[in-house]
Amino acid sequence: MNSFVYEYPVKVYFGEGCVEQHLKQLLGSYGKTVLLAYGGGSIRKNGIYGQITAVLEAAGKTVVDFAGIMPNPTYAKVQEGASLVRENHVDFILAVGGGSVIDCCKIVAAQAKTEQDIWEMEFSGHQYPHEWLPMGAVVTASGTGAEMNNGAVITNEEKKIKAGVWGAYADFALLDPAYTLSLPMEQVVSGAFDTLSHCMETYFGKPDHITLSDEISEAVMRNTIRNLRLVIRHPQNMEARSELMWASAMGENGILKIGKVTDFQAHQIEHQLGAYTDCNHGQGLAAIHPVLYRHIYESAVGRFARFAKEVWGICPEGKNEKELALAGIDALADFIKEIGLPASLTEMGITDKSILKAVADTCNITAGCCKKLNHDEIFEILKKCL
Ligand code: NZQ
Ligand code: ZN
């Protein structure tokens, strides 16, 4: 087994009503001025903004609004947040939203503590923040698991790069599954597919032999598939929504990654696609995964065969290993269609072939992928995704 260190700094409060139950008391540990960060306005429509500002008021806090964090948050938005923090002497950041809001705040929290430009510091200087303004996260859209790690995916529009930047860990995360009830079903589906993708990207990494982390991963994948089907059929099913929300956190809280070198090649391709098209993350992944897997599966045929059997329940009888592996990838592609995700870039409205070369050429190549790709192969994969 590979050596590992496991420690987790994020305290999670899970369940219906957890914000009303715990937020006021949690805020007591921090200073007076709170940056209340959120997205394009969904929390104002669904009442969450009112609930949270009432708690902040009752806790005697001065609130500084940081609104309009867009899906696929930009580096310019990070700098806007950091300026607000400095100008208003903010003591604490409360991120209320999905992955985009939480990610943006992780980097605002770190940028606010250093005079250096954090992008340059990390990508040129290879230095990573070790101090940040304290923050908490209230999750309103699950899938990314962003609340449980300190990686943030930020789009640098000037450089045309969407990449992982390291920032703050939230001190606490509040996960109320009822907060997801107002999410458009399209986003529920895209988020849950992101969870499935995080599991797959870890499962198909290294080592080759099956580990405890892989077996837990299989359970999270089966759970996500089952509960997404349930939520699509019965959107009010709180038990299924709760499972999806916790599965999302499990995908990115490091447990599945213990002892693994993760793959995440599909994510690297999708992130650069996002840099060029601003596409929805889960949808981009859906268009890429089956094509990528058909390209690489022969390098890990045993693992893909196991995926078919353990995750999709495909009977191995009468199939050789390769046929079983391909049947698993077919099942994944069928599931993508079944849940209404786009099965191609064209379905997502991305038809401009000319950008695909730039996406491929600027995409990171990962060490954990069972087949180490080159940029030309990524270009070929992207063309097949059209
Ligand atoms: O902006 P508002 O108006 O709030 O609307 C949002 C947004 O349009 C809406 N929404 C969120 N909660 C809602 C709601 N609408 C109604 N009711 C609610 N309760 O949903 C839309 C999408 O939100 P967003 O936060 O962008 O979605 P998601 O959680 O999928 O986050 C995507 C971002 O996270 C990154 C992605 O690359 C992308 O930038 N990722 C972050 C990761 C991490 N930090 O660990 C890992 C992932 O792989 C991913 O890359
Ligand atoms: Zn993801």
Side-chain angles (χ1 to χ4, degrees):
M1 195 170 181
N2 289 341
S3 305
F4 65 87
V5 174
Y6 185 78
E7 186 187 16
Y8 239 76
V10 186
K11 185 161 182 175
V12 175
Y13 296 80
F14 187 96
E16 280 185 64
C18 66
V19 172
E20 277 158 330
Q21 224 179 322
H22 300 289
L23 182 59
K24 184 170 175 229
Q25 181 232 329
L26 286 166
L27 289 168
S29 315
Y30 307 98
K32 195 169 167 56
T33 307
V34 175
L35 187 80
L36 176 56
Y38 53 99
S42 70
I43 67 163
R44 283 189 178 267
K45 289 187 207 123
N46 59 20
I48 294 175
Y49 182 84
Q51 264 182 35
I52 288 187
T53 46
V55 176
L56 287 164
E57 203 176 303
K61 303 293 178 184
T62 303
V63 176
V64 177
D65 250 40
F66 176 35
I69 300 173
M70 62 293 279
N72 304 327
T74 62
Y75 194 52
K77 197 69 186 172
V78 167
Q79 295 305 333
E80 182 189 324
S83 300
L84 271 178
V85 167
R86 291 195 190 104
E87 283 158 20
N88 295 282
H89 306 287
V90 165
D91 299 301
F92 179 75
I93 300 174
L94 188 63
V96 185
S100 296
V101 171
I102 297 169
D103 277 4
C104 184
C105 289
K106 291 174 188 174
I107 308 306
V108 169
Q111 179 67 84
K113 283 279 190 184
T114 174
E115 293 301 314
Q116 292 185 66
D117 177 281
I118 199 154
W119 190 281
E120 291 308 320
M121 181 178 123
E122 297 199 15
F123 289 97
S124 307
H126 305 290
Q127 284 183 323
Y128 302 94
H130 45 77
E131 57 167 354
W132 44 78
L133 204 68
M135 68 173 274
V138 176
V139 181
T140 67
S142 66
T144 65
E147 67 278 13
M148 284 203 74
N149 61 54
N150 70 330
V153 187
I154 303 295
T155 301
N156 190 319
E157 291 176 302
E158 269 174 37
K159 297 185 192 296
K160 275 226 173 294
I161 296 175
K162 183 178 179 191
V165 187
W166 299 105
Y169 279 102
D171 285 356
F172 61 81
L174 293 152
L175 281 71
D176 182 340
Y179 276 18
T180 68
L181 278 167
S182 55
L183 261 182
M185 189 49 80
E186 209 179 37
Q187 183 60 36
V188 173
V189 169
S190 141
F193 190 78
D194 191 20
T195 302
L196 184 63
S197 170
H198 296 156
C199 298
M200 294 190 293
E201 298 262 45
T202 308
Y203 187 74
F204 290 113
K206 293 169 183 167
D208 291 344
H209 62 264
I210 208 82
T211 64
L212 174 60
S213 300
D214 295 322
E215 289 185 275
I216 301 172
S217 203
E218 286 167 354
V220 180
M221 289 191 267
R222 286 193 298 267
N223 182 291
T224 301
I225 294 162
R226 186 174 68 247
N227 285 296
L228 178 56
R229 283 179 167 142
L230 272 171
V231 170
I232 291 172
R233 258 182 283 132
H234 307 288
Q236 302 296 321
N237 184 330
M238 286 311 298
E239 199 51 41
R241 273 184 189 269
S242 304
E243 294 284 333
L244 284 184
M245 199 172 209
W246 183 235
S248 157
M250 279 293 291
E252 280 296 319
N253 65 9
I255 288 178
L256 307 183
K257 299 180 185 178
I258 286 177
K260 301 272 306 183
V261 178
T262 60
D263 171 353
F264 278 84
Q265 189 61 67
H267 267 69
Q268 294 301 328
I269 300 173
E270 193 287 329
H271 286 162
Q272 264 322 86
L273 188 69
Y276 280 82
T277 65
D278 198 28
C279 64
N280 174 281
H281 178 59
Q283 293 182 1
L285 289 169
I288 292 164
H289 262 295
V291 178
L292 173 67
Y293 284 170
R294 287 192 180 105
H295 185 87
I296 64 171
Y297 81 97
E298 281 176 289
S299 302
V301 70
R303 178 55 63 100
F304 275 94
R306 185 177 164 114
F307 173 69
K309 191 164 148 272
E310 298 298 333
V311 176
W312 298 104
I314 297 168
C315 175
E317 230 168 86
K319 293 184 186 66
N320 63 34
E321 207 175 41
K322 205 168 148 180
E323 288 164 345
L324 185 57
L326 278 171
I329 301 171
D330 287 346
L332 172 66
D334 290 346
F335 181 66
I336 287 167
K337 288 192 186 135
E338 174 196 329
I339 61 180
L341 276 170
S344 67
L345 299 181
T346 307
E347 278 182 42
M348 292 169 67
I350 301 171
T351 50
D352 181 2
K353 267 191 195 162
S354 65
I355 60 155
L356 299 185
K357 180 86 174 79
V359 170
D361 287 346
T362 52
C363 173
N364 283 331
I365 311 261
T366 67
C369 186
C370 60
K371 181 179 196 296
K372 191 156 195 259
L373 301 180
N374 60 44
H375 294 287
D376 291 338
E377 278 174 291
I378 295 176
F379 183 41
E380 291 308 311
I381 289 165
L382 278 166
K383 282 193 288 185
K384 283 191 189 148
C385 293
L386 272 172

